[in-house]
Every structure is written in C-alpha cells, then in structure tokens.
DNA sequence: CCACACTGTCTCGACGTCAAGAGAGTCGAC
DNA sequence: GTCGACTCTCTTGACGTCGAGACAGTGTGG
C-alpha cells in the first residue's frame, strides 16, 4: 500500500531528478509516523485525564523502581526536553499532587523528584492503555517483522543515545 | 549496541513483569528518533536561516511543481498541523516574502499559496543540506537495510495516511 | 430556487517549549 | 584552604502550536 511519503518521494524525483532523495524514504517516514503517534497517544491518554508529557514524566519515575525518584537531570535525558521545560513540568505535576520535590541529601544543588502514591497509580493505569493502543497499530506486522524493525531502528538511535548530543 | 529504549524496556520488565511491553521496542524508538531528528534538522537549517516549519511548508510547495502553488488545506495534510497553525505559518512566510496568497479563481472561499522566486531558491538550497545530513545519519545502514526499513515503516504509516484520521 | 449541511480558511486565547543565562554548590589542582 | 572550572536547577521572555469556534461560500435534495 502506498503512503504519503511514496507520493512525496515521487514528486521530488519529478521536480529534482538531479538529487538522490532516497534518505527520505526512511527518515521522513520516521518523522511523520511519530507525529501520527503523538496524536493517537493524546487521544488514548485523554481517557485517563493525562497529557502525553505527564505520562512521559510519571512513567520515567515509575520505571526507576522504589522509591520512585529521579533527579531532574535524569528526567531530561529520558524525555529529551530542555531543563526549563522540565522545571515547568515538575511544577505542574507537583501542583496536581502526582509528584513531590525533595532536597537531594548528597548534593545540595540537587533535587529529587518522587512519585506520590496517586502518581504511581496513574502511571500504571495509563501504561496498560498505551500498550493496548500500540499493539493495535503494530497489528500490521508479524512478530518477526516487529523484531526486525526494532533492530534496524536501534542502529539509528544508538549513536544519539550514546554519544550525547 | 544498546540504546535508551533497551534500558527502558529492561526497566519495565523488572518493574512490571506482568505486562508485555514488546510494542515499545518499535514505537518508543520511533518517537525518540523523531525527536533526535528534529534537533538535528534545527541545527542543519540554522545555516540557511530557516526554521524546520518553514522548510516543511516551502518544500511542500516546491514539490508541487510549477506554478508552485497549493491551497492551505492541501498543505495541512502534508505537514500534519492544524488549520490555525497553517494560517499563522503562511502569514509569517508571506511577511518574509517567501510565499504569497492569491485568491482561488474557482472557489471564492479558497486561497492559493504560491512560492516566490526567493522562496523557491531557499527550498532548493536547504533540501540539499538536509539530504546530506540524513545520509550521514543513515550511514549506519547498508543499502539493503535502508530499503528493508523503509518497507516496514510504510506498513505502519499507510493506514494513517490513507484512512484519514 | 431555497434550505441546509458541509467545506475551507481564519480568529482567538491558553498553553507548552525553547534558548540563554543566572545563581548556588561541588571538586580537583595547587 | 581556596581559586576556578564545572555541574545542576531554575528563571525569563519570545515563540509556535493547538482546539474551538466564527464566518463566508458551496452545492445538493426536495
């Protein structure tokens, strides 16, 4: 089945036959798919009265395991936002009672963000919802294809995740 | 090589061994990679004094071929933004002299957005820059792997692009 | 020919993000 | 010890996006 990127690539080949636009076949699809996923996630989370950004922060803390706390800096690397954004997110989640800020006992510059009990429940509930939705989207692919796809994507993400930039 | 999603998935398996988090192997990588790509594109375009959103609109018009014009509605489906956003983008591009608004002769509700000569030049220049950068990112993969990856991604994007949602 | 539902674009206010930089605290070299 | 480079978090102001709705124009069924 044809998608929007097929049309996009065909158009470039007509308009700029001098250029090799093959990279777009992969990376434009990644960008567009991510955009579709954002929209789908927004819808899925609205049933739990949760925004995607709230989910990202709460689940990062949930994954950390007891006592469910991380520094703002650790949250930055997991969520790929800037520090100003993270300060703002923590403020709002704290106001809603889903996280709390504690001083870091071992570094007085530092802060620890800890999940409250309610925050933990919300994280657990919405993760289940997200997985259900993602499974539906991936229904197109066989198990073997999914693992093939994951492996190829890992090759592209690893440099970004390991050489900080 | 391990990436951040490997760590994320391992953490979930430890914290929530009752859940099957395999879908994250694919879709979390897509979202994170898109975020890294956004940052990289922002950097690449800054050499051309162009924002990513400007690139998206100008190249959509460029791809349309002479006379390089599309309706705002057509631009929406290509760029995956809302109509309010597109109005705003067209305003700003028009103020910079890169596009102009013309009345649609066949529908008096409608508008046609047309690329100016300068807009066309900027689109052409920055496309070349983007492709160079993307080629560097994809250097990790062989030609066969890239086409395998493109085919798998197409299966996921096609439903979104064809069943409007 | 005239309702009436629909389409295409724009307006508006609220919101989240970013980049740049400030301020407090840490730690190694000397 | 203490100077200076570095790290960590937060502040600020500008900016872009979104969602909801307004409005003009279209075109179809009765």
């Amino acid at each position: 089945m044809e998608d929007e990127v097929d049309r996009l690539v065909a158009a470039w080949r007509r308009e700029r036959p001098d250029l090799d636009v093959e990279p777009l076949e992969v990376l434009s699809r990644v960008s567009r798919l991510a955009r579709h996923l954002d929209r789908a996630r927004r819808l899925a989370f609205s049933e739990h009265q949760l925004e995607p950004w709230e989910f990202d922060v709460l689940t990062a803390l949930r994954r950390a395991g007891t006592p469910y706390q991380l520094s703002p800096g650790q949250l930055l690397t997991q969520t790929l936002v800037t520090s100003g954004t993270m300060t703002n997110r923590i403020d709002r989640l704290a106001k809603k009672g889903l996280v709390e800020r504690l001083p870091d006992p071992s570094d007085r510059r530092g802060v620890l963000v800890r999940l409250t009990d309610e925050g933990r429940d919300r994280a657990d509930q919405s993760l289940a919802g997200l997985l259900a939705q993602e499974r539906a989207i991936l229904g197109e692919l066989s198990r073997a294809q999914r693992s093939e796809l994951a492996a190829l994507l890992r090759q592209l993400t690893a440099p970004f995740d390991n050489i900080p930039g």
Side-chain angles (χ1 to χ4, degrees), chain A residues 65-153:
Chain A
T66 9
Y68 307 118
Q69 60 189 23
L70 291 173
S71 70
Q74 292 173 305
L75 288 171
L76 291 191
T77 72
Q78 295 210 24
T79 55
L80 298 178
V81 296
T82 61
S83 65
T85 298
M86 188 51 68
T87 298
N88 186 17
R89 288 184 174 187
I90 296 167
D91 286 347
R92 284 174 283 156
L93 287 171
K95 201 167 295 174
K96 291 176 85 170
L98 302 179
V99 307
E100 55 191 342
R101 267 198 187 83
L102 307 171
D104 182 338
S106 67
D107 184 339
R108 275 191 296 169
R109 292 167 304 181
V111 165
L112 291 175
V113 181
R114 173 145 67 187
L115 215 47
T116 63
D117 289 347
E118 187 190 346
R120 180 189 156 152
D121 291 344
R122 299 285 286 280
D124 279 338
Q125 290 156 18
S126 44
L127 174 63
L130 179 70
L131 287 172
Q133 194 204 32
E134 297 203 338
R135 235 170 251 123
I137 292 170
L138 291 170
E140 312 286 331
L141 301 180
S142 72
R143 182 139 184 64
Q145 286 178 313
R146 291 201 298 273
S147 94
E148 172 79 11
L149 182 48
L152 289 168
L153 288 170

Side-chain angles (χ1 to χ4, degrees), chain A residues 27-97:
Chain A
L27 297 183
S28 291
R29 284 197 173 89
V30 169
S31 293
R32 287 185 64 91
L33 180 54
R35 227 154 147 58
H36 287 303
L37 290 175
D38 267 358
R39 292 182 168 190
R41 291 207 309 162
R42 195 177 308 273
L43 257 173
F45 290 144
S46 65
E47 297 170 16
H48 300 272
Q49 285 87 47
L50 216 57
E51 299 293 322
W53 65 263
E54 297 180 292
F55 176 86
D56 288 341
V57 177
L58 296 180
T59 51
L61 293 167
R62 177 64 183 82
R63 278 196 303 275
T66 9
Y68 307 118
Q69 60 189 23
L70 291 173
S71 70
Q74 292 173 305
L75 288 171
L76 291 191
T77 72
Q78 295 210 24
T79 55
L80 298 178
V81 296
T82 61
S83 65
T85 298
M86 188 51 68
T87 298
N88 186 17
R89 288 184 174 187
I90 296 167
D91 286 347
R92 284 174 283 156
L93 287 171
K95 201 167 295 174
K96 291 176 85 170

